[in-house]
Amino acid sequence: MTAHPASLHGAGGCQRSLMPTAKLQRFLMTVTIVATCVGTAPAVAQTVTVVPTGNRLAEQPVIPRASALRSKAFNTTYEEKYRAITALLRDDRKLVGKIRKAALAYGIDPIHIVAALVGEHTYNISVVDSVQTYYVKALAYADLKFSFSYRGTPVQSFVQRPEFASCSSLESSALIWSCRDQVWEETFRGRKVDGVDHEPITFQRAFFQPFYAGQTFGLGQISPLAALQVTDMVSRVSKLPRLSPDRPQAIYRDVMDPDRSLVYIAAIIRDSIDAYREQGFDISGNPGITATLYNVGQPRRRARELRQAVTDKTGRTLPVENYYGWLINDRLEVLKALLTDGTK
């Protein structure tokens, strides 16, 4: 799942503070009630707004230059890659069956998983000849020695700093890692803390790309951070072992294995749906929005920002698709047919 950075903070120094910022305090207030089972989001005080189907934008937003460069490097086009992934889904009925099974387990419509796969393989990677190729690739990471660290400090040590103390009492991996992501954004990203300058890069890029920038893996192009965020849900629903940054090879095994990757895709989508419902928005009927969130990540921060915009009456009342999600909604009927063609 390839996330594109938000606007960067300034690189000036800041005074260290052990108290949560105002934004972080608001974050913590929104996560005190946690869903206890898949498909059950926390109660919300406000009326839930159902996000309608279709695109809010008449034309597709600009596609990032990085995506264009990836396509050019492989001498292909978006349309060719789109046709390749839809052909794979049309021809591999076992894969579609596994998509249906994963969606059922996590209480989502399977079209959301199809949307994530189509978006990733259209804009971020080129589809392989068959799903079997991903099993082979998974073996390449099994014996590698590496860690998730930033400038020599493992992430599991870095998050023990007092700035992250308010995250430790949260009740799920999704909330804990989302909180840590928020602390990095507000306290460390592009700032000087304790005399140390931190680069203006995302938490994911700082700690979870040990080989090269832009790393996501497997059929669903999942980042290690995204897998860690939903590990509690995946353990509870699919009975897979909980992941830990202390065991990075296990994370790569899960996101590279096509069967497990589908489970994580479903969990990531379920988590995004729940995050928006916590803020009073039902996005479960709009695959373009869930695909957008699959692409950009940080669903809780984005849901909170939308709720604040509605509260402040800025004119923004609904989530809006990006270029990735726009394609999904634009071709939704064709993509839905992939789940029914050739099945009984």
Side-chain angles (χ1 to χ4, degrees), residues 51-286:
V51 177
T53 58
N55 287 319
R56 307 283 77 81
L57 302 174
E59 297 183 356
Q60 185 177 27
V62 175
I63 300 170
R65 182 171 179 267
S67 185
L69 291 175
R70 278 190 291 268
S71 294
K72 184 177 181 180
F74 288 95
N75 193 30
T76 186
T77 66
Y78 300 133
E79 192 62 31
E80 287 173 346
K81 294 200 292 180
Y82 170 83
R83 287 198 297 267
I85 181 59
T86 52
L88 176 65
L89 290 166
R90 187 177 299 110
D91 297 340
D92 192 337
R93 303 319 298 173
K94 286 186 178 179
L95 175 60
V96 171
K98 292 174 181 179
I99 289 172
R100 288 181 170 279
K101 182 178 179 181
L104 180 63
Y106 288 84
I108 63 174
D109 191 314
I111 190 60
H112 294 290
I113 299 179
V114 168
L117 292 175
V118 169
E120 285 299 322
H121 287 83
T122 298
Y123 293 114
N124 293 322
I125 59 170
S126 296
V127 73
V128 295
D129 294 333
S130 73
V131 174
Q132 296 301 317
T133 305
Y134 287 111
Y135 290 106
V136 176
K137 287 185 176 182
L139 298 176
Y141 291 91
D143 298 321
L144 293 179
K145 301 299 181 183
F146 60 94
S147 65
F148 297 128
S149 61
Y150 178 65
R151 294 176 174 174
T153 301
V155 66
Q156 52 268 47
S157 298
F158 194 88
V159 298
Q160 297 306 311
R161 296 179 59 134
E163 291 88 349
F164 294 91
S166 52
C167 302
S168 60
S169 62
L170 300 177
E171 300 181 33
S172 74
S173 57
L175 300 179
I176 290 170
W177 285 105
S178 294
C179 179
R180 289 168 174 172
D181 191 3
Q182 185 84 8
V183 171
W184 170 268
E185 283 289 318
E186 296 184 6
T187 306
F188 295 98
R189 178 174 173 169
R191 297 173 184 269
K192 179 178 287 186
V193 182
D194 291 343
V196 177
D197 287 317
H198 298 81
E199 296 173 89
I201 57 177
T202 64
F203 186 56
Q204 174 176 297
R205 183 175 173 186
F207 286 97
F208 294 99
Q209 297 182 347
F211 302 118
Y212 53 87
Q215 280 182 291
T216 50
F217 296 92
L219 185 66
Q221 290 296 287
I222 298 169
S223 75
L225 178 57
L228 283 168
Q229 286 175 327
V230 296
T231 188
D232 281 359
M233 187 191 300
V234 169
S235 177
R236 184 174 66 249
V237 177
S238 299
K239 310 306 179 187
L240 295 181
R242 282 182 171 81
L243 300 177
S244 166
D246 293 311
R247 300 185 301 277
Q249 290 81 6
I251 296 176
Y252 280 57
R253 173 204 61 204
D254 279 12
V255 300
M256 292 293 290
D257 181 313
D259 295 336
R260 295 191 178 202
S261 181
L262 289 173
V263 165
Y264 281 92
I265 295 171
I268 290 167
I269 294 167
R270 175 77 260 170
D271 186 56
S272 291
I273 291 172
D274 289 347
Y276 269 73
R277 190 170 183 87
E278 289 166 15
Q279 297 298 330
F281 303 95
D282 180 0
I283 62 173
S284 62
N286 192 313

